[in-house]
Amino acid sequence: MIATDFQPFSIVEDTGFKKYSQALNPSYIPPSRKTLAQKVTDMYDTETASLKRRVSKVPAVCLTTDCWTSRTTVSYMSVTCHFIEDFRVASCLLDCFEFSERHTADNIAQQLLSVAAEWGVDKKVVCCLTDNAANVTKAIKTIGWMHLPCLAHTINLVVRDALQVSKPIIDKVKEAVEYFHRSTVGAQKLKETQLQMKMEELRPKQDCPTRWNSTYYMLKSFIASKNAIISTLAVTNAPVRHLSQEEWTTVQEMCTILQPFEEVTVELSAESYLTASKVIVLARGLQRATADFRRNTTTAAAQGVIDSLCASMSSRFHKIHANHILAESAALDPRFKRMAFPDGRTADETFQRLSTAAARISSGTSIQQQPAVEGLEGAGSGAGSIVWSYFHEEPEQWKPGIQAYLEEPLLPTHEDPLKWWESRAPVYPRLSKLMAKKLCVVATSVPSERIFSKTGQIISERRSRLKPKKVRALVFLNANLPKDKKEMQKKP
């Protein structure tokens, strides 16, 4: 309950909790705060050891990292780890710790290396994903790891720049939304109007300057209550600038234009399925979808947004298919293979690299030793001989490789590519091992950001005195406790 539900240690001293426990079981004596704190420490040590054993068995990992400052002005750094385990996508939090030094590239690099070495993955890192901050990018290069910029941040930059084109209209929407949030009369009248018009009661959402999708949600909620908003603003004589009919049309068209960007951001921010292998395909899809919107867009402001989006994507996504990490990930996804690439040359180069890499990997095919047959010693049968075992090993040229893999039919996009690899691992032993190293990559650094969303809930007003060491343990347990253990923790 303390780690999973963000309850403060002091809950055991609350009168309501004591009465609740007493009602459930009069003989139960709740543990003290000190006992709870020690239990959290013990659980942290146990889960850390267990997770280290798991991570030690995987051949390759992808890391994400981010930094954040709490409401108590303490700076934290998080590092998450992603890998393929038994043909399943797996993720975990390696650490979330106080980072009091200056956020220079050298200091960040030192901390990242320290965490990776502690967990024994410093030699297994395929790549590290971060936002586009210069200091973090430089830190990754200083370490010598491959760096992959977070696609969610890239999309954020693309859309935020495009929204500047329609800033006057967005500012008008913001004025109206802020009015409904600060005026109790306006908010109440809007509810009544929505009920009269038999509309869903939706309070217009405010946006956040640093998140483009919050602007999209604001516009979407605004247009959903269009008639109620127009009526309420007129009746209450609200001191805001009203939108013209053309501006309302622009808002509607902008919602349509931005919807694919929101869908891609959500899809690529997941941790439970492969994401990096989709990046090239979805980036091209975004470019084509945005270009197609030109045909049905009628307002000049919306056309300006489209022009900006297309220009920015053309610049930022121009050579995305040439990124080796993304290209090889897409190539080993049986849903895409060569179809992920815009031209045959890039596809050929990618599969050539994969073929070379696969050739260096031992297939791991076990050689079954035949028991020696009595009376045949020295007869040249080779039974049980390590020398003869090489004769029984299937020659490499007989094993299906890249070409056979390419000739297999594409897997439907809704099916799990890892299940496909699990079933085909005996056929492609080398490629399946290479797959585990290439498909462990994630598309965004959102996993690290999610950690701080949870950390923000832990360091609440009632828990503002928590020491960073205790925060570290609580965040780790919340992120890494198996579901069954979390359910056990919730039981009284």
Side-chain angles (χ1 to χ4, degrees):
M1 185 167 62
I2 303 298
T4 58
D5 297 328
F6 310 117
Q7 298 294 339
F9 289 105
S10 61
I11 190 173
V12 294
E13 298 174 350
D14 291 347
T15 302
F17 180 80
K18 289 180 178 179
K19 288 183 178 180
Y20 175 73
S21 300
Q22 188 74 11
L24 289 177
N25 186 353
S27 63
Y28 175 70
I29 301 176
S32 65
R33 293 175 63 174
K34 187 175 181 180
T35 301
L36 277 179
Q38 184 58 49
K39 184 173 179 59
V40 165
T41 300
D42 293 342
M43 287 181 64
Y44 171 75
D45 293 339
T46 302
E47 292 301 322
T48 299
S50 174
L51 195 55
K52 281 184 177 180
R53 288 193 293 270
R54 281 181 60 196
V55 174
S56 67
K57 299 175 183 178
V58 300
V61 301
C62 169
L63 303 182
T64 77
T65 186
D66 200 6
C67 296
W68 172 79
T69 302
S70 72
R71 62 189 297 161
T72 57
T73 67
V74 176
S75 181
Y76 289 88
M77 182 175 183
S78 68
V79 182
T80 68
C81 181
H82 310 268
F83 47 92
I84 304 297
E85 182 181 42
D86 297 328
F87 296 95
R88 302 291 183 272
V89 173
S91 300
C92 65
L93 171 66
L94 297 186
D95 213 340
C96 180
F97 55 94
E98 182 182 10
F99 186 24
S100 56
E101 294 88 358
R102 291 178 59 234
H103 291 193
T104 63
D106 289 339
N107 287 339
I108 293 173
Q110 183 180 358
Q111 293 294 337
L112 279 174
L113 269 177
S114 176
V115 172
E118 180 186 351
W119 283 82
V121 298
D122 48 321
K123 304 299 183 184
K124 298 180 180 181
V125 178
V126 176
C127 75
C128 185
L129 278 95
T130 70
D131 57 21
N132 297 307
N135 58 338
V136 185
T137 302
K138 184 178 178 182
I140 305 302
K141 292 181 179 178
T142 299
I143 296 173
W145 293 342
M146 293 292 291
H147 176 255
L148 193 64
C150 170
L151 190 70
H153 283 83
T154 301
I155 291 177
N156 186 56
L157 294 174
V158 168
V159 180
R160 285 239 70 90
D161 289 345
L163 291 177
Q164 292 300 311
V165 176
S166 57
K167 188 175 183 299
I169 299 175
I170 293 175
D171 287 343
K172 281 188 176 183
V173 174
K174 283 184 179 180
E175 283 183 22
V177 171
E178 288 171 0
Y179 166 74
F180 289 118
H181 278 262
R182 71 171 182 267
S183 171
T184 54
V185 174
Q188 183 59 36
K189 187 61 180 176
L190 178 60
K191 285 184 180 179
E192 293 173 359
T193 305
Q194 288 172 332
L195 286 173
Q196 290 173 0
M197 295 183 173
K198 296 182 179 179
M199 299 172 63
E200 184 180 358
E201 286 187 36
L202 294 174
R203 191 181 187 190
K205 297 180 180 179
Q206 289 183 302
D207 76 337
C208 171
T210 60
R211 299 293 182 187
W212 77 266
N213 52 357
S214 68
T215 303
Y216 167 70
Y217 295 142
M218 178 183 71
L219 297 177
K220 190 176 178 181
S221 66
F222 198 74
I223 203 73
S225 299
K226 173 183 175 181
N227 294 332
I229 288 174
I230 292 174
S231 176
T232 303
L233 292 178
V235 171
T236 59
N237 196 26
V240 299
R241 293 174 295 170
H242 293 229
L243 274 69
S244 65
Q245 184 56 48
E246 182 178 351
E247 287 172 333
W248 276 105
T249 303
T250 299
V251 171
Q252 178 66 69
E253 291 181 344
M254 285 175 60
C255 287
T256 302
I257 294 165
L258 296 179
Q259 183 177 346
F261 290 87
E262 166 64 7
E263 292 174 355
V264 169
T265 300
V266 171
E267 183 162 357
L268 293 182
S269 298
E271 298 178 60
S272 59
Y273 52 79
L274 301 181
T275 54
S277 62
K278 301 178 181 179
V279 169
I280 295 175
V281 175
L282 293 180
R284 288 169 58 198
L286 273 181
Q287 289 177 289
R288 294 184 63 178
T290 307
D292 287 345
F293 282 138
R294 280 199 177 100
R295 302 170 188 167
N296 301 319
T297 303
T298 60
T299 62
Q303 285 283 1
V305 170
I306 289 176
D307 292 341
S308 177
L309 288 171
C310 288
S312 187
M313 284 192 291
S314 179
S315 172
R316 296 180 184 275
F317 296 160
H318 176 55
K319 292 184 178 180
I320 196 168
H321 57 276
N323 182 294
H324 287 191
I325 296 174
L326 297 177
E328 291 168 6
S329 177
L332 286 176
D333 191 321
R335 297 170 297 180
F336 309 130
K337 301 181 185 179
R338 295 184 69 92
M339 295 295 292
F341 302 94
D343 59 82
R345 178 180 177 181
T346 305
D348 290 341
E349 292 173 352
T350 300
F351 281 105
Q352 182 58 51
R353 289 195 305 272
L354 291 174
S355 180
T356 301
R360 300 194 191 104
I361 297 175
S362 170
S363 67
T365 305
S366 61
I367 307 302
Q368 295 185 354
Q369 301 292 336
Q370 299 295 327
V373 180
E374 186 176 354
L376 291 182
E377 289 85 358
S381 66
S385 169
I386 189 172
V387 176
W388 275 97
S389 68
Y390 295 103
F391 173 80
H392 298 292
E393 184 176 21
E394 186 180 6
E396 174 62 31
Q397 60 266 28
W398 294 352
K399 296 177 182 175
I402 291 289
Q403 190 57 43
Y405 164 72
L406 287 171
E407 290 173 357
E408 295 243 20
L410 289 177
L411 190 70
T413 55
H414 64 275
E415 293 193 18
D416 186 353
L418 292 180
K419 286 185 177 180
W420 185 93
W421 274 111
E422 185 175 19
S423 67
R424 305 299 284 164
V427 182
Y428 307 109
R430 285 174 169 78
L431 280 182
S432 65
K433 288 187 176 183
L434 186 62
M435 173 278 300
K437 296 181 178 181
K438 302 298 182 180
L439 293 187
C440 67
V441 181
V442 292
T444 73
S445 61
V446 170
S448 284
E449 296 177 16
R450 287 198 183 104
I451 295 300
F452 292 133
S453 295
K454 295 178 180 179
T455 309
Q457 296 178 58
I458 290 174
I459 309 176
S460 61
E461 187 174 346
R462 291 190 67 190
R463 311 177 92 180
S464 59
R465 291 182 296 171
L466 275 176
K467 300 293 184 183
K469 184 178 180 181
K470 195 63 67 180
V471 172
R472 180 189 192 188
L474 289 170
V475 174
F476 181 90
L477 290 173
N478 181 272
N480 294 325
L481 273 178
K483 288 183 178 180
D484 56 343
K485 288 188 179 182
K486 286 186 178 182
E487 291 302 320
M488 289 176 62
Q489 292 297 315
K490 290 183 180 181
K491 292 180 180 178

